[in-house]
Amino acid sequence: MNFPQPQPTSSPSSSTTSSTTHPNNPSDPMHSWWESISKARTRISLLSSLLPPSLSISFLADTDRPARSLLSSHSSYSSITLSLSSPSSGSGSDPLCHWLYDTFLSADPDLRLVVLSYIPVLSGIYLSRIHTNSNNSLAGFEAVLLSIYASETKARNGKAVVVTLPDLNLPSLYHTPRNVSNASNNNAKLNVGANAGINGNLGGKSGVLCPPLEPQTAVKSTKRAFIVGVALDCYYKQISQMPGWSKLDFCRFVADWAGQDCECKSEFDEEVGDAFGEEIRVEEIDEVGDGIRDLRITENGESDVGVKGARIPLPWELLQPVLRILGHCLLGPLNSNEVKNAASVAVRCLYARASHELVPQALLATRSLIQLDKRARESEQLAAVNSASSNANTPSKAKKPEILLVSK
């Protein structure tokens, strides 16, 4: 089902602002600012009418940056996530899917960030239901994913995403070999001449990271993973501005997608204590174990991070953006320990899945992420041990008695 695309002239916020503020000077920065504020307030007011009456988010419209306030509101995120995970959600008549669709079509970048923050939940629920033979219509979810895919198709303008690797046969920019034979010089010149016309880089070799995007009017089974992967890639491009709870939901869904809970996950954890002792190794594994417990569903079927996903096929076009996002969640310096632990659990589940299915690309990528995560945790543990030992060996100086000067 195709959602009707709203025309800019029919937007109530734009018509209101154009008739009330700066009607003769639309290029004025104040006009653009006020139009953005009015549009965000209109979208928040509409969203408030779709959520349960117990949750009031109308106060977010009164802030200086309403869209940013909505993005950073955990209560509104939890309520929208709960609505998206209801059994009847995702249909073509779902008002919340209509709100996400219309909001993303707006030109306001902050409102688009709000929609992108729900991509982990939306794609997680959508893929889990598709691969569990759900009889419910998911046209609403597909319309939101197609709108993001269409936006990225337009942004790329029919061009492929290409990565260029340097030719290791050529000297680097930071040194010059002392003795270079004539044969190596000739080979280098041949390599430069062969590759310079292709990518404009001296000796570089180009690889297609993502082929050109073709317009899609429906989510076909053969293109489903690719379309969701493009939506996740859009999420990754803005991941530095995504809230932590959105990243947590993504890591939980990835662990559920992998669906591999075996001893392969702890294969690398057995070697963690070699450099720092058994006590540190146990503490680190317990820390990751806390992340596993945080991702479990409670007895009442509720969870702080949303609903449970299902094991699904993981082709490379879907796994590639998943690994990029997990890499950020693992190594991002501003991420909380909760996000890092959840990402650590997810990447170990993917490694176990790849070990059983013998997928070389997935094995190499997940193994590298686990090693990077292990080294980062070792560095943190070592820094903590050094800090504690230095504080214990530093003698404490006796405090001098305070002298109070009293004027007579």
Side-chain angles (χ1 to χ4, degrees), residues 381-408:
Q381 294 284 355
L382 182 59
V385 171
N386 292 337
S387 177
S389 60
S390 62
N391 293 335
N393 296 330
T394 302
S396 58
K397 297 181 180 179
K399 295 183 178 180
K400 296 181 179 179
E402 297 181 355
I403 301 177
L404 303 178
L405 299 179
V406 181
S407 59
K408 297 182 180 180

Side-chain angles (χ1 to χ4, degrees), residues 32-158:
S32 301
W33 172 81
W34 180 250
E35 185 178 8
S36 176
I37 295 294
S38 301
K39 187 178 298 183
R41 289 177 176 176
T42 302
R43 302 310 301 171
I44 291 176
S45 299
L46 180 58
L47 177 62
S48 180
S49 64
L50 303 177
L51 297 179
S54 58
L55 178 63
S56 175
I57 63 172
S58 56
F59 68 95
L60 298 176
D62 299 329
T63 59
D64 295 337
R65 303 183 69 181
R68 288 284 179 167
S69 300
L70 180 61
L71 178 66
S72 59
S73 174
H74 184 260
S75 58
S76 61
Y77 178 87
S78 300
S79 182
I80 294 175
T81 299
L82 185 62
S83 299
L84 289 174
S85 58
S86 64
S88 59
S89 64
S91 63
S93 59
D94 189 350
L96 192 54
C97 290
H98 276 274
W99 185 88
L100 292 172
Y101 179 86
D102 294 337
T103 303
F104 187 80
L105 290 180
S106 65
D108 188 75
D110 289 341
L111 288 176
R112 289 194 166 198
L113 289 178
V114 173
V115 178
L116 289 177
S117 66
Y118 295 99
I119 290 301
V121 174
L122 192 146
S123 59
I125 297 174
Y126 170 71
L127 291 177
S128 299
R129 290 183 181 177
I130 281 290
H131 293 287
T132 53
N133 298 324
S134 176
N135 296 326
N136 296 337
S137 173
L138 301 177
F141 288 160
E142 293 177 348
V144 179
L145 293 173
L146 282 174
S147 66
I148 299 174
Y149 178 87
S151 174
E152 186 66 11
T153 302
K154 183 179 180 181
R156 294 188 186 182
N157 196 21

